[in-house]
Amino acid sequence: MQGALRNIWKIDDLRSKIIFTLLLLLVFRIGSHIPVPNVDANALKAAGEANNILGMLNTFSGGALANFSVFAMSIAPYITASIIVQLLTMDVIPKFAEWAREGDAGRKKLAQVTRYGTVVLGLIQAIGLSVGFNRMYPGLVQEPSFSTYALIAITLTAGTAFLMWLGEQITEHGIGNGISVIIFAGIAASIPGGITTIYAQLFYDKTQAELFVGLLQALAILIGVVIIIAGVIYIQQGVRKIPVQYAKRVVGNRMYGGQKTHIPVKVNAAGVIPVIFASSLMLFPSTVASFWRGNVVADWFLRNFDPRAGLYLFLFVILIIGFTYFYTFVQINPMNMAEQMKKNSGFIPGIRPGKTTAMYITRVMNRITLAGAIFLAAVSVLPVLFGSITGLQIYFGGTALLIVIGVALDTMKQIENQLLMRHYQGFIKK
C-alpha cells in the first residue's frame, strides 16, 4: 500500500489528476459555507437536529443544507434529471432511444438534455425549498417578497448548476466519476459530526449502567461497520465468468481464433447508482410534504415516508432492486453481446449462438443481479432498523456507507489501472 501511494506521485499525469480533483473538492467544501442572500440559517440548524428528513438531506449535502448555502440542494436535481432521461431512453421517446444507441455522440446529446433538465428541476426545487422552508421555520427568509424568493431560487439553482459543472470537470480531467465523488465528499464531511452525535447519545450525561449499555452499542456499531465494509468489498469485487470459445478460421495463409476466454459478469454491475437513485426518489415525497405540515395528506406522507417507517423501508428496498436490474441491463445488453460473439465466431460451450446465447446470458445476469440487489437493499436497511431498535439517530447509515465504499473502490480501481498501465505495482497484488 505504501509503495503504491509513493508510485502515484511519480506519475505526472496521475498526480495532476489527483491534485485537480482535490482542488475542486476544496471549492465544493468552501461553497458549502457560503450563505444564500437574505437567509438566516440559524432557524434551520436547530430544526435539522430533530428532523429525520432534514438530517438525511443534510448528510448528503455535506452540511450545506443546514447552512442554507449556495450548494444547499447539492446535486439532487441532477440525479432526478438523470433518472428521468434514462427512463425515457427505454423507447418512451424514440429520439432518446435512438441517441442511446448512437454511442458517444448520442450520449453527449443525452447529457445536454440532462443539463437542461437539471436547471429546470433545480429552479422548481429551489422555489419550493425557499417558500416551503420559510413556512415551516418562520424567520428563515428575511424580508420575504417576490424579488427575495426569486434571488434565493436563482442562487440555489446556480449553485446546483455549478456543482454539476464541477462533477463533469472531475470526470473529464480528474479521478473517478465526478458526481459520485462530490456525493462522497459531502458524506465524508459529515462523518465527524455523526461520530460526535453518536458519542453524545451514548456517553454524555449517563449513569454507570447506561454507560455500559452505550459501550456495548458502540461496539456493535463498530463491528457492524466492519462487516458492512468487508461485505460491500466482497460483493463489489465478485464476478461470474461465463466461458467463451472462439472457433478457428483461416484467412489467407493464416489461422485465427481457437482461443478460450470468458465474459466477466459482476455480481453488482450497477455499483452504488441504484442506492443514490432510490434515496433521491424516496426523499422527494416527504420533502414536498414537509412544506404543508399540518395538512392531513401531508402529515400522512411525513409519517409513512420517514426513513424509519415501514412503508418507506419497503418501497426503498423495491426501488433499489428495480434500479439495480434497470441500470445493469442498461450497461450490459445480452442481445448485442450475443450478436458480437456470433459475428466473431464465438460461442458459449453447450449453448447455440444467437438468440439462445442471449437468453442464457440474460438468465445468468438475472440470477447474479438478484443477489447483488438484495445485498444492496439489506445493507441500506439494516442500519436503519438498528437505529429504530436502539433509538439512536444515525443519519450516516447504510446508504451513506454504501456510497462512500462504492465510490472509494471505483476511484481506487481507476488509480490501480493507471499504475498498472505504467508498469507500477498497484494497491491489489495479483
Side-chain angles (χ1 to χ4, degrees):
M1 176 67 76
Q2 292 178 354
L5 292 174
R6 284 195 298 269
N7 290 336
I8 289 173
W9 302 103
K10 293 179 183 179
I11 305 173
D12 292 339
D13 182 45
L14 185 56
R15 183 174 64 245
S16 300
K17 287 183 176 182
I18 292 175
I19 293 174
F20 179 81
T21 303
L22 292 175
L23 288 175
L24 291 193
L25 291 180
L26 178 62
V27 172
F28 164 59
R29 293 307 304 150
I30 292 173
S32 298
H33 294 85
I34 299 176
V36 173
N38 299 326
V39 167
D40 180 13
N42 292 325
L44 192 60
K45 286 181 179 178
E49 297 175 359
N51 189 309
N52 287 336
I53 304 301
L54 285 182
M56 186 75 71
L57 289 171
N58 193 48
T59 297
F60 283 100
S61 67
L65 180 60
N67 298 325
F68 214 88
S69 72
V70 293
F71 295 155
M73 295 194 302
S74 189
I75 45 103
Y78 177 84
I79 295 173
T80 306
S82 299
I83 296 171
I84 294 171
V85 170
Q86 289 196 20
L87 289 174
L88 293 178
T89 59
M90 306 297 289
D91 292 325
V92 177
I93 296 182
K95 196 64 178 178
F96 283 15
E98 180 184 334
W99 288 345
R101 292 189 291 266
E102 287 181 358
D104 289 338
R107 279 194 291 271
K108 287 180 180 178
K109 295 175 183 177
L110 290 173
Q112 191 68 17
V113 173
T114 305
R115 293 188 194 105
Y116 292 138
T118 300
V119 173
V120 173
L121 290 174
L123 189 60
I124 295 171
Q125 185 173 333
I127 294 171
L129 201 67
S130 54
V131 175
F133 274 23
N134 192 51
R135 288 180 182 174
M136 292 170 57
Y137 314 109
L140 176 67
V141 177
Q142 299 172 345
E143 300 179 4
S145 64
F146 175 81
S147 59
T148 301
Y149 285 126
L151 176 61
I152 294 172
I154 291 172
T155 303
L156 290 174
T157 305
T160 294
F162 182 72
L163 275 185
M164 178 178 62
W165 178 82
L166 280 184
E168 291 177 350
Q169 295 305 304
I170 291 174
T171 301
E172 187 173 352
H173 303 294
I175 286 290
N177 180 289
I179 300 300
S180 298
V181 169
I182 288 175
I183 297 174
F184 168 90
I187 295 173
S190 302
I191 294 177
I195 294 174
T196 303
T197 301
I198 293 174
Y199 177 82
Q201 292 177 16
L202 293 179
F203 302 111
Y204 183 73
D205 196 21
K206 302 289 184 180
T207 63
Q208 190 168 0
E210 289 173 335
L211 285 174
F212 179 73
V213 174
L215 185 62
L216 291 178
Q217 289 180 335
L219 186 61
I221 292 173
L222 182 60
I223 293 173
V225 168
V226 172
I227 292 173
I228 289 174
I229 291 173
V232 171
I233 293 173
Y234 181 77
I235 294 296
Q236 291 287 83
Q237 300 296 102
V239 174
R240 166 77 152 82
K241 296 179 180 180
I242 301 176
V244 177
Q245 175 75 47
Y246 284 93
K248 294 181 181 179
R249 65 185 189 278
V250 178
V251 179
N253 295 324
R254 289 191 170 188
M255 180 176 290
Y256 294 90
Q259 74 270 22
K260 294 181 179 180
T261 183
H262 64 268
I263 301 172
V265 180
K266 296 188 68 175
V267 176
N268 180 26
V272 295
I273 299 298
V275 180
I276 296 174
F277 281 6
S279 299
S280 298
L281 285 183
M282 289 305 298
L283 287 173
F284 182 75
S286 52
T287 303
V288 173
S290 63
F291 300 153
W292 286 275
R293 190 183 298 271
N295 181 279
V296 176
V297 177
D299 287 346
W300 184 89
F301 273 99
L302 288 172
R303 284 194 309 272
N304 291 281
F305 280 80
D306 183 279
R308 301 185 184 191
L311 179 61
Y312 177 95
L313 295 177
F314 173 76
L315 293 177
F316 189 41
V317 168
I318 296 299
L319 282 176
I320 289 177
I321 294 174
F323 276 126
T324 302
Y325 273 96
F326 170 74
Y327 205 76
T328 298
F329 281 89
V330 164
Q331 289 184 307
I332 306 171
N333 189 318
M335 186 58 71
N336 290 345
M337 193 179 294
E339 287 297 322
Q340 289 297 324
M341 288 171 55
K342 189 175 181 180
K343 288 179 182 178
N344 293 287
S345 303
F347 62 92
I348 298 173
I351 307 296
R352 291 172 60 87
K355 187 177 179 180
T356 307
T357 297
M359 291 173 62
Y360 175 79
I361 295 173
T362 301
R363 187 164 64 251
V364 171
M365 287 178 60
N366 280 332
R367 292 175 178 175
I368 201 168
T369 302
L370 179 61
I374 291 175
F375 177 81
L376 284 180
V379 172
S380 300
V381 168
L382 285 177
V384 178
L385 296 177
F386 176 81
S388 299
I389 295 171
T390 60
L392 297 176
Q393 292 186 358
I394 306 173
Y395 301 124
F396 188 84
T399 302
L401 200 58
L402 267 174
I403 293 171
V404 168
I405 297 169
V407 174
L409 282 174
D410 289 341
T411 305
M412 280 184 61
K413 192 172 294 182
Q414 286 198 24
I415 296 175
E416 175 89 6
N417 293 337
Q418 294 276 347
L419 290 171
L420 294 178
M421 281 173 58
R422 293 163 175 82
H423 309 292
Y424 283 95
Q425 178 66 48
F427 295 102
I428 305 170
K429 292 185 179 180
K430 305 293 183 183

